Amino acid sequence: HAAANYLVAFARLFLGLWAFSCAFWYLSAESTCKLKAKFNLNGYKDLEKKKVVIGGMFPVHKGIAYSDGNTSRVPVSSGCEGFNFRTFRWTQTMLFAINEINEKVDLLPNTDLGYVIYDSCFTISKAVEGTLTYLTGQDEAVPNYRCGTGAPLAALVGTGGSDLSIATARILGLYHFPQVSYSSTCSALKSKFQFPTFLRTIPNDIHQSTAMAQLVLRFGWTWVGTIAADDDYGKYGIKDFKEQVEEAGVCISFSEVLPKVSSPEDIQRIVQTVVESTAKIIVVFSSDVDLSPLITELLRHNVTNRTWIASEAWVTSALINQPGVYPVLAGTLGFGVKRADIPGLRRHLLELDPYDDPLTEEFWEMVLFVTNQNVNGTLPRAVRGVPDGLCTGTESLAQLDNTYSDVSQLRITYSVYKAVYAVAHALHNLEHCEKGKGPFVGNTCADISNFEPWQLMYYLKNVRFKVKATDEEIFFDNGDIEGFYDILNWQVNSEGDISFINVGHYNGSAAVEDRMNIMNYSIVWNNEALEPPRSVCSENCQPGTRKGIRQGEPVCCFDCIPCADGEISNTTNARECTLCSGDDWSNDAHDACVPKIIEFLAFGEPLGITLIVISAFGASVTIAVGVVFIVHIGTPLVKANDALLSFSLLFSLVVTFLCSIVFLGEPQHWSCMTSQVALALGFALCLSSIMGEFKERIASKTAANSTTCTVWLIILPPHPVKNTSSQNIKIILECDEGSVVFICCIFAYDILLALLAFVFAFIARKLEDHFSEAKCVTFGMLVFFIVWISFVPAYLSTRGKFMVAVQIFAILASSFGLLTCIFLPKCYILLVKPERNIEEMMRPRAKLRDSTMTWTSASLATVASEVNATMASTAIDD
């Protein structure tokens, strides 16, 4: 008994001390802790007798109401404005899904789900307010505390835009609280280091950016503009898109950012940029709320002839697809998330009770305002300030036809539906965990009536189920689902309205070559064109040209520079021209190398035939002269001119005439050697004959030249070569002389003989006789020198086969000059004036006015011998 009394007394003392300490703490807390602010949130709640509560957050309004920023009074949480029928449908879809789950017997049969849904007003501040309030469990947000005593919180479905989800996910991640988003697609949310409890039932934007990039590349658009919302959704989406297309060679004409807060100046600047840009393709990553002011301004400026690439956030938005928008947006291509028909949803949407909550009441008034404004000009009660009674709340919505009631394009709505069901299936798996086989420490299971958020997170990450309405299997891969999109085309229907036509799809999980499937023939482009528009800064450089960079401009802006002669490009947009090989040359289009023209003076061409005829004629005439001399060999004239010298000269002229023919035709080894040797020896014999005094002298002069030729042919013989440097488009087949030194020595000897012959003839030109050969030789040598002096500049100024023609012409001209000047006067006497072919005419005259003697060829030879003898004796005397 004593012990028992002692324990009772001790317990009373302990309870007294505890009560005192609690009272002290309460008084201290009341004096030091106070609520700093009370949030102004609208939404839906149903917590009574619910086992588990699911949170939701939707941007029912487009923004917060304007605040004057007055700091002289107690700050009040801002209200919201700009009711959005589309997002209100999303809100009702969550309510519909929860009610549908609560009625199921195969999904959470023993658990009723409650909900707390807030309006984020499409602003980060409201989203944070709603998140803190939801976690606290009461209207006053107390960070780090769960002040409610009701059902456990399961997960948050929301919160709308990516910026909002990033803000809420950072808070929820601190408490390991699951968040399942239905419309936040920003690729930044993939990071589990920053957002460990974030999941979504809408594809990651990395898939959409890739899809947009592939679409641009598929149609060959290399010059595009980009417009992004001033938030993480727009910035990350456009960044990923630009990285991929720029790597593939696409250039960005302009990059504009849509203001989050209304700014007419910024909108005007963007419109001006779009108008001035030559880009016909504009990629837009933005929500419909942010994009709407720009579309309105584009309509006002009648900016047409542009093709818009839409992100999933606005591709089916009724806020953008307003009456009269088709001149600007017809032909738009965009990517929409999976669409579905949800049985029973439309009926739920049209069976609302306007008195359930303020949001539904506001919706009711807005619907009636839109419906009746054209009838009696009335305004919503919140705006009008008129007495109650105008709206009875019993009006029927059965005939309602607007964005809210339109269930033809349930895409984000379907994503909301899947998000709610993902949470429900995770709760179902948690509830039906087999004891002793649980996933937690000691193989334990969580209690559906009292579980921690991180425990539900385990089941959410591993959930896998099929949506009954669509038979689509849902599972998360590191928090994301597969990247599947419908490709939608904005086409004008028969009623003049925009219809969203499915023209293909994109599956980010497929092989790279199979990801995009698009029916080009089904697309109707801007201005109802059937062919894709072209959007390039510069047109493609065709084969035969290369790209020339414009300084200070993107690489897609370039000039097309024709390839130089001898260079080609056989691809479109070649960066460099390729040099043809030595035996090839570029064609006229500079897109292919073709073999160069092989050029030589052929026998069969007109010029070759002409030269052959002239050569043959010259040789024939020379032979005919020889025949004449043979016939008249016993006559005084022939005897007086030394028949042997005459026949040697005629033979050498025949050789020079005929050797010119060897220069014709394709050069061969034998022809290259024969032509130059025959020419050198022919002229050497000819000039030696003119100077010859007797046979031994002729032989010695010719033998000297023959020795030189022989050495030349043995050591460095002439040979055929391909001359590719003289003319770009031709290969000139010609003879390489082998050694310049040898050929110069050979022809220098001929020149020396020619000079000596000319000197002797020139000295003897005044020694007159009845027949003076000195004058004839003088004229012949003058012709010889004139021809070969003229030959040098003519030869150097010509190219190709005409060089050969000039050389042959010089040979023929000099040969004809010698033949004509030396033998024509003799033939004239022999054939026309035979009466002058007598001994008396060959003898020197007895006396001349200048007291000089006359000279014949014999006497001229004698004089030459005497000159040589005198020069020799003088040398001996010296």
Side-chain angles (χ1 to χ4, degrees), residues 510-830:
V512 175
E513 63 274 9
D514 298 327
R515 288 180 180 178
M516 179 169 287
N517 183 4
I518 187 168
M519 299 173 288
N520 294 3
Y521 59 86
S522 299
I523 301 175
V524 176
W525 302 96
N526 193 279
N527 297 329
E528 298 186 359
L530 297 178
E531 293 296 324
R534 287 187 56 78
S535 185
V536 295
C537 181
S538 300
E539 292 295 335
N540 290 333
C541 288
Q542 299 302 314
T545 62
R546 65 174 178 86
K547 285 184 176 181
I549 298 174
R550 295 179 185 171
Q551 294 296 330
E553 296 189 32
V555 295
C556 296
C557 302
F558 49 82
D559 296 316
C560 294
I561 302 174
C563 291
D565 290 339
E567 297 181 346
I568 67 160
S569 65
N570 52 13
T571 60
T572 302
N573 291 332
R575 294 186 178 276
E576 297 293 340
C577 295
T578 305
L579 186 65
C580 292
S581 62
D583 290 345
D584 294 331
W585 193 251
S586 56
N587 59 2
D588 291 340
H590 290 273
D591 58 2
C593 288
V594 295
K596 289 184 177 180
I597 300 171
I598 304 297
E599 183 177 271
F600 57 89
L601 189 54
F603 293 103
E605 62 179 288
L607 180 58
I609 294 173
T610 302
L611 294 175
I612 290 173
V613 170
I614 296 173
S615 299
F617 174 75
S620 300
V621 170
T622 305
I623 293 172
V625 171
V627 171
V628 170
F629 267 59
I630 292 173
V631 172
H632 298 84
I633 196 168
T635 62
L637 179 61
V638 175
K639 289 180 180 180
N641 283 276
D642 194 336
L644 181 60
L645 292 177
S646 297
F647 286 122
S648 297
L649 180 57
L650 289 172
F651 174 74
S652 65
L653 290 175
V654 171
V655 171
T656 57
F657 276 121
L658 294 180
C659 78
S660 63
I661 299 177
V662 183
F663 285 87
L664 298 174
E666 182 176 350
Q668 304 292 335
H669 283 281
W670 69 267
S671 63
C672 287
M673 292 188 292
T674 304
S675 58
Q676 296 294 350
V677 170
L679 177 63
L681 292 178
F683 276 124
L685 180 60
C686 176
L687 296 171
S688 298
S689 299
I690 294 174
M691 292 184 59
E693 176 185 2
F694 44 80
K695 184 165 68 173
E696 289 79 12
R697 183 173 294 266
I698 295 174
S700 63
K701 294 180 183 293
T702 307
N705 210 1
S706 299
T707 302
T708 307
C709 286
T710 303
V711 175
W712 175 32
L713 293 178
I714 294 174
I715 298 177
L716 291 171
H719 56 276
V721 294
K722 292 181 178 180
N723 184 348
T724 60
S725 60
S726 296
Q727 296 190 34
N728 292 329
I729 62 174
K730 296 178 181 179
I731 297 177
I732 302 172
L733 300 183
E734 59 185 14
C735 290
D736 187 334
E737 309 306 338
S739 173
V740 177
V741 175
F742 277 115
I743 195 170
C744 288
C745 290
I746 292 170
F747 285 100
Y749 183 76
D750 287 344
I751 293 172
L752 178 61
L753 292 178
L755 288 173
L756 290 174
F758 176 74
V759 169
F760 287 126
F762 183 77
I763 292 174
R765 75 188 188 282
K766 294 184 179 180
L767 302 179
E768 296 182 357
D769 196 356
H770 294 288
F771 178 77
S772 179
E773 191 175 11
K775 290 184 178 180
C776 297
V777 174
T778 301
F779 281 114
M781 295 310 300
L782 283 175
V783 171
F784 184 87
F785 281 118
I786 291 171
V787 168
W788 286 103
I789 291 173
S790 302
F791 161 78
V792 174
Y795 185 81
L796 295 177
S797 63
T798 55
R799 292 291 183 270
K801 63 183 180 181
F802 297 104
M803 296 178 71
V804 178
V806 169
Q807 191 171 6
I808 294 175
F809 175 79
I811 296 170
L812 297 177
S814 59
S815 299
F816 274 113
L818 292 175
L819 178 64
T820 302
C821 293
I822 295 175
F823 290 99
L824 181 61
K826 297 175 183 179
C827 291
Y828 175 77
I829 293 174
L830 292 174

Side-chain angles (χ1 to χ4, degrees), residues 59-65 80-87 119-123 260 288-290 292 319 322:
V60 178
H61 288 84
K62 300 175 184 176
I64 58 176
C80 301
E81 62 183 4
F83 196 89
N84 191 328
F85 288 121
R86 184 188 185 204
T87 53
D119 178 11
S120 68
C121 301
F122 203 62
T123 57
K260 295 294 289 184
D288 52 357
V289 175
D290 292 334
S292 181
L319 182 63
Q322 296 289 333

